[in-house]
Amino acid sequence: MSTIKKGLPGLTANIKDKLIQQSLERKLRQVEHEQSQPPMTRPLGGPAALPEEFYRFDQHPGYRQLRILNEGAARMGVRSPFFKVHEGIAGAQTRIAGKHYVNYASYDYLGMSGDPQVIAAAKEALDRYGTSVSASRLVSGERPIHRQLERALADLYEVDDAIVFVSGHATNVSTIGHLFGPRDLVLHDELIHNSVLQGIQLSGARRLPFAHNDWAALDRILHDQRRDFERVLIVLEGLYGMDGDFPDLPRFIEIKRRHKAFLMIDEAHSLGVMGARGYGLRDHFGIDGKDVDIWMGTMSKSLAGCGGYIAGESALVEHLKFLAPGFLYSVGMPPSVAAASLAALRRMQEMPDRVATLQARGKYFLELARAAGVDTGTSAGLAVIPAITGSSLKAARLSTQLFEQGVNVQPILYPAVPERVARLRFFISCTHTEEQLRHTVELLAAAL
């Protein structure tokens, strides 16, 4: 930082920061430009003529971008907010380096990760079945707890069956990548999760995004494009993990029926959060589970485990169980993890008050933040609430400042989001107290 000051005499700290940030953005654009160039169509000659980025990891464009960002943050005096080591259960509160923090960096919306009954269920399965099933369920067989969890998920959605994968990200990649192909079209909300984009790329299907939550834009695209493809898939999120808003599901169901398309809902953030029972987006709108073709979700958030699931008709689930590479060629879910998620699901059903408390806490935080002048974007205040800063540097510094005051909240920076909507992202839990939320907003407003 001292070098920058000497090289830019007479400038204010804000102007210096802006100049450094503009320099970083130019460097990042240069790397992105290099990556976007078409592949070479002629031989390069012998090994001596090959560019270093073709055979050195430290010259890989992705790593160069990372270095530019890290070096720029260091020049601005911003410490990395990532990979903090939590020393216990990280729920509404956590301990980092021996100090206690109010924690907004956990998806444990219903406080199930530390629930005694959930922990006991995991321990019992560990004692009975061991730590691993050691191979894919197709090859090595399954345990009763696998089918019990899948049956419970299917019943939750009131559909025929369900299948659980060991990774939420891989659930989308493998399902979309396997079911669709080059003669198909996948339409998705422009803010859809990376796992969906990776699945589409794997499938080879044509990909078309539409404006966020804009069902009319989707309808227009289908009117123009549907006739040119065999299968068409529409993918939405139940609750968007960056912005905390949700789609008008009945509208999208009507559109998918009229155009004879499949509809897939990613409920990673909406299960346990939306609806009077916490049953997700369909519970919020009072929709029959069979009105959606593919229900997807994760068990790492409200269900206190790990992995993902697909729920739907028998033909869909049977197809995936026998042929989807992410299930067929992957080890089965550890029994202790399946038991924890099943116990968390049952606890959610037994205690709807946790869902009601979560929704009340989210609404309270949102109202306080907006009253304090915080830009919360389009958040519905259900569990995910951003504080949009408009600058990656400002978001990173704000995160550091709050951390020093006992609040752990992560920044979302460029290029994960456009620079103009860089933000802090608050995840609310039913175990946060009103006093914690009120104190946090006071600190946030003062810092802003």
Side-chain angles (χ1 to χ4, degrees):
M1 198 70 177
S2 60
T3 304
I4 300 302
K5 288 179 179 177
K6 289 177 182 177
L8 299 171
L11 298 180
T12 66
N14 283 342
I15 293 176
K16 290 173 187 175
D17 286 344
K18 288 180 180 178
L19 290 173
I20 295 170
Q21 189 161 343
Q22 288 170 2
S23 174
L24 294 177
E25 290 173 1
R26 282 195 298 271
K27 291 178 181 178
L28 288 169
R29 284 196 295 269
Q30 176 60 32
V31 175
E32 290 170 354
H33 174 73
E34 293 171 7
Q35 287 181 283
S36 68
Q37 296 306 297
M40 283 169 284
T41 57
R42 58 183 175 81
L44 289 173
L50 290 173
E52 288 187 332
E53 59 263 33
F54 286 9
Y55 59 88
R56 287 180 54 177
F57 285 122
D58 66 336
Q59 294 300 314
H60 190 286
Y63 182 68
R64 286 168 57 202
Q65 285 182 316
L66 181 63
R67 287 296 302 272
I68 290 169
L69 291 169
N70 288 343
E71 290 168 3
R75 290 170 66 192
M76 294 177 185
V78 178
R79 293 177 301 185
S80 172
F82 307 115
F83 293 101
K84 292 170 183 167
V85 178
H86 296 256
E87 298 165 349
I89 295 172
Q93 298 185 78
T94 190
R95 188 177 70 242
I96 301 169
K99 183 178 177 181
H100 291 276
Y101 295 84
V102 180
N103 186 34
Y104 297 98
S106 170
Y107 299 136
D108 188 19
Y109 297 130
L110 298 179
M112 295 295 181
S113 181
D115 184 273
Q117 291 191 32
V118 174
I119 293 172
K123 288 180 177 177
E124 181 183 352
L126 193 65
D127 291 337
R128 178 173 297 181
Y129 303 115
T131 59
S132 173
V133 297
S134 303
S136 73
R137 287 164 56 189
L138 195 75
V139 173
S140 67
E142 47 194 20
R143 309 299 181 267
I145 198 70
H146 292 129
R147 289 304 300 138
Q148 291 167 15
L149 174 59
E150 289 168 341
R151 185 68 259 155
L153 288 166
D155 291 344
L156 182 84
Y157 285 100
E158 298 178 346
V159 295
D160 296 341
D161 207 349
I163 174 176
V164 296
F165 293 73
V166 291
S167 160
H169 191 280
T171 301
N172 276 336
V173 173
S174 197
T175 299
I176 297 172
H178 175 68
L179 293 177
F180 299 91
R183 291 193 291 258
D184 302 328
L185 171 66
V186 182
L187 297 153
H188 64 83
D189 189 287
E190 64 181 345
L191 300 185
I192 205 71
H193 192 263
N194 170 269
S195 56
V196 171
L197 301 180
Q198 295 294 314
I200 300 169
Q201 183 177 5
L202 176 64
S203 75
R206 173 86 182 279
R207 178 176 75 85
L208 289 176
F210 56 88
H212 181 50
N213 281 337
D214 190 341
W215 55 266
L218 170 68
D219 195 25
R220 288 192 297 270
I221 295 172
L222 283 167
H223 182 270
D224 294 337
Q225 301 279 342
R226 178 63 183 96
R227 69 180 72 89
D228 298 328
F229 298 92
E230 293 181 0
R231 284 169 291 275
V232 172
L233 174 68
I234 303 161
V235 193
L236 314 172
E237 291 187 31
L239 184 70
Y240 285 86
M242 283 288 182
D243 293 270
D245 57 4
F246 56 89
D248 185 345
L249 182 58
R251 290 281 194 178
F252 284 97
I253 289 173
E254 188 277 325
I255 289 169
K256 81 99 181 176
R257 284 176 174 162
R258 184 154 37 84
H259 293 284
K260 292 182 168 56
F262 294 108
L263 178 60
M264 178 177 184
I265 307 293
D266 181 333
E267 290 235 280
H269 291 278
S270 47
L271 180 67
V273 172
M274 298 188 71
R277 300 170 296 176
Y279 285 18
L281 189 63
R282 80 177 190 91
D283 193 20
H284 178 84
F285 283 105
I287 296 296
D288 190 303
K290 293 183 179 179
D291 287 342
V292 170
D293 303 285
I294 306 174
W295 291 104
M296 179 272 171
T298 57
M299 287 166 289
S300 55
K301 299 175 177 64
S302 293
L303 298 188
C306 185
Y309 62 85
I310 295 289
E313 65 176 279
S314 297
L316 166 69
V317 173
E318 186 177 1
H319 187 172
L320 294 175
K321 280 193 173 182
F322 280 91
L323 295 173
F327 184 85
L328 177 61
Y329 299 109
S330 175
V331 66
M333 180 177 289
S336 57
V337 175
S341 291
L342 178 60
L345 178 56
R346 288 173 173 166
R347 293 284 280 164
M348 180 186 81
Q349 294 170 323
E350 294 166 358
M351 299 185 302
D353 56 300
R354 288 200 188 188
V355 176
T357 300
L358 169 65
Q359 293 171 354
R361 294 289 189 269
K363 180 182 179 182
Y364 183 68
F365 187 93
L366 181 68
E367 290 174 348
L368 289 176
R370 286 182 175 169
V374 177
D375 182 358
T376 57
T378 56
S379 175
L382 286 164
V384 181
I385 302 173
I388 299 171
T389 64
S391 157
S392 293
L393 175 61
K394 190 172 183 179
R397 283 186 168 159
L398 192 58
S399 173
T400 299
Q401 185 174 344
L402 290 174
F403 189 72
E404 292 169 351
Q405 296 175 301
V407 174
N408 183 48
V409 57
Q410 292 296 94
I412 307 297
L413 314 174
Y414 174 86
V417 292
E419 179 66 12
R420 61 184 174 80
V421 289
R423 64 193 62 193
L424 299 184
R425 190 168 53 153
F426 291 86
F427 295 111
I428 310 301
S429 166
C430 70
T431 56
H432 280 117
T433 67
E434 289 189 352
E435 173 56 31
Q436 288 172 335
L437 301 177
R438 186 164 55 249
H439 182 59
T440 297
V441 172
E442 289 171 357
L443 294 175
L444 175 63
L448 284 169

